[in-house]
């Protein structure tokens, strides 16, 4: 039985977030430059997006470039940006074919004009698609997002536009992920056990899944395997196991 067949279609997460990690190590293992790993990571992106679309998930968020990644050697940053431009260009027809809508979170204003032009073109072209929402985290960091929200709240308060008392719901409206559910599942590849400044607010109760597989080797079945693992977990949200069982049995009566 494949992992895809093992998935319970009635209990799918609506939002999966992925930290795509391990491109550099994958290339090094093969005696190649880091950029070779990034190029091969594009296949894993395609597989993951297709897998999410096949399951009719609502949201897939991919961490593609963090605010910290600017600190990498300039040659690698440039290569990542040109890879982003060419991938957006080459993959847009596939996004259209699969009814996928692309959006981006992060400080995209700091990306080059070339990147912004291609990104905006794909966002505009796919805007009316109604299937999977593919969200690229570009020049994103969780702390940047929270500070940005705080500044927007400050500005709205000063302008007398903040009518309600602050609450989790009001605060979440100021995040770049407004209108998106929090991820139920976070996948990180390459055997690293950390969040790396990704979706700090939104991951509060997310199930975390770590795999040693390096990103360029990640395929549909790896994605489905993570979902099967997720479906075997008990999400308690602070309650006890017994409380959840009681609730389940009252629902089944
Ligand atoms: C992930 O792979 C890609 C980006 C962060 C852009 P890495 O480039 O971080 O690969 P490792 O972690 O060095 O192996
Ligand atoms: C996290 O990966 C960022 C992305 C996947 C875009 P990194 O490889 O940059 O993370 P750290 O620096 O090792 O934590
Ligand atoms: Mg890394």
């Amino acid at each position: 039985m494949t992992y895809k067949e093992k998935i319970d279609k009635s209990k799918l997460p609506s939002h999966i977030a992925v930290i795509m990690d391990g491109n550099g190590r994958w290339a090094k293992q093969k005696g190649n430059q880091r950029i070779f790993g990034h190029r091969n990571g594009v296949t894993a992106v395609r597989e993951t997006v297709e897998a999410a679309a096949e399951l009719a998930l609502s949201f897939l968020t991919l961490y593609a470039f963090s605010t910290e990644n600017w600190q990498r050697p300039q040659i690698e940053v440039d290569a990542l940006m040109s890879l982003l431009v060419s991938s957006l260009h080459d993959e847009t027809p596939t996004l259209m074919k699969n009814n996928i809508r692309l959006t981006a979170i992060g400080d995209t204003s700091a990306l080059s004009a070339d990147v912004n032009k291609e990104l905006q073109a794909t966002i505009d072209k796919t805007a009316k698609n109604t299937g999977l929402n593919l969200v690229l985290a570009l020049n994103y960091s969780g702390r940047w997002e929270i500070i940005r929200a705080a500044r927007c709240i400050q500005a709205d308060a000063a302008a007398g536009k903040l009518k309600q008392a602050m609450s989790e719901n009001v605060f979440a409206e100021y995040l770049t992920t407004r209108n998106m559910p929090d991820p139920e599942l976070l996948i990180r590849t390459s055997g690293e056990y950390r969040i790396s400044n990704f979706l700090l607010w939104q991951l509060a109760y997310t199930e975390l899944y770590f795999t040693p597989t390096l990103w360029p080797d990640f395929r549909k079945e790896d994605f489905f395997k993570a979902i099967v693992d997720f479906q075997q977990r008990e999400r308690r949200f602070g309650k006890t196991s017994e409380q959840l069982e009681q609730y389940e049995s009252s629902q089944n009566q």
Side-chain angles (χ1 to χ4, degrees):
M1 209 174 173
T2 64
Y3 283 107
K4 190 177 187 189
E5 287 161 349
K6 286 189 188 157
I7 292 175
D8 178 349
K9 297 272 167 30
S10 69
K11 285 190 187 139
L12 284 171
S14 55
H15 182 184
I16 297 182
V18 186
I19 301 178
M20 313 182 286
D21 199 12
N23 294 351
R25 278 162 285 166
W26 186 89
K28 200 172 172 191
Q29 279 177 6
K30 296 189 156 39
N32 264 299
Q33 302 288 320
R34 295 178 56 83
I35 183 62
F36 180 70
H38 298 313
R39 272 194 218 113
N40 280 276
V42 176
T43 310
V45 173
R46 195 178 301 128
E47 288 259 327
T48 305
V49 172
E50 277 181 18
E54 278 173 27
L55 293 177
L57 300 189
S58 297
F59 291 92
L60 175 71
T61 302
L62 302 179
Y63 204 5
F65 194 86
S66 72
T67 53
E68 288 77 19
N69 288 147
W70 293 113
Q71 297 172 66
R72 293 191 177 194
Q74 192 60 44
I75 189 162
E76 181 171 347
V77 172
D78 291 346
L80 278 167
M81 291 300 155
S82 58
L83 190 62
L84 178 62
V85 170
S86 60
S87 303
L88 283 166
H89 184 265
D90 296 348
E91 298 300 326
T92 303
T94 316
L95 298 181
M96 292 308 292
K97 196 181 91 198
N98 291 304
N99 195 23
I100 297 168
R101 179 168 167 259
L102 185 96
T103 54
I105 56 171
D107 186 4
T108 49
S109 69
L111 301 171
S112 73
D114 275 1
V115 173
N116 266 305
K117 192 171 151 231
E118 202 65 53
L119 182 64
Q120 202 53 52
T122 308
I123 289 174
D124 291 345
K125 192 138 197 241
T126 62
K128 293 205 168 69
N129 289 346
T130 54
L132 174 73
N133 286 285
L134 173 61
V135 184
L136 285 187
L138 288 170
N139 192 22
Y140 175 90
S141 93
R143 287 191 175 178
W144 163 81
E145 177 180 45
I146 291 168
I147 293 299
R148 176 187 169 277
R151 285 189 182 143
C152 292
I153 292 165
Q154 237 174 0
D156 276 3
K161 285 196 241 163
L162 199 64
K163 301 280 183 249
Q164 288 161 284
M166 192 43 61
S167 67
E168 286 194 13
N169 287 341
V170 172
F171 189 82
E173 278 297 303
Y174 284 88
L175 295 172
T176 58
T177 52
R178 64 193 292 269
N179 303 326
M180 286 166 63
D182 289 342
E184 289 99 326
L185 172 63
L186 171 79
I187 299 171
R188 183 171 190 149
T189 58
S190 86
E192 303 293 354
Y193 300 96
R194 55 179 175 267
I195 300 300
S196 301
N197 216 346
F198 193 36
L199 299 174
L200 294 179
W201 170 276
Q202 298 85 345
L203 293 175
Y205 251 112
T206 302
E207 294 296 327
L208 309 179
Y209 177 89
F210 300 100
T211 168
T213 303
L214 301 174
W215 181 250
D217 288 329
F218 197 80
R219 292 292 175 271
K220 285 183 186 179
E221 272 289 284
D222 297 290
F223 186 74
F224 297 141
K225 185 179 178 192
I227 297 176
V228 170
D229 187 287
F230 164 82
Q231 291 186 330
Q232 285 159 358
R233 300 185 190 186
E234 182 178 60
R235 304 190 73 205
R236 290 193 282 277
F237 299 100
K239 294 184 182 161
T240 66
S241 209
E242 291 73 19
Q243 283 176 303
L244 296 174
E245 278 161 23
Q246 271 166 19
Y247 177 76
E248 285 263 314
S249 60
S250 71
Q251 292 295 95
N252 294 335
Q253 271 164 20

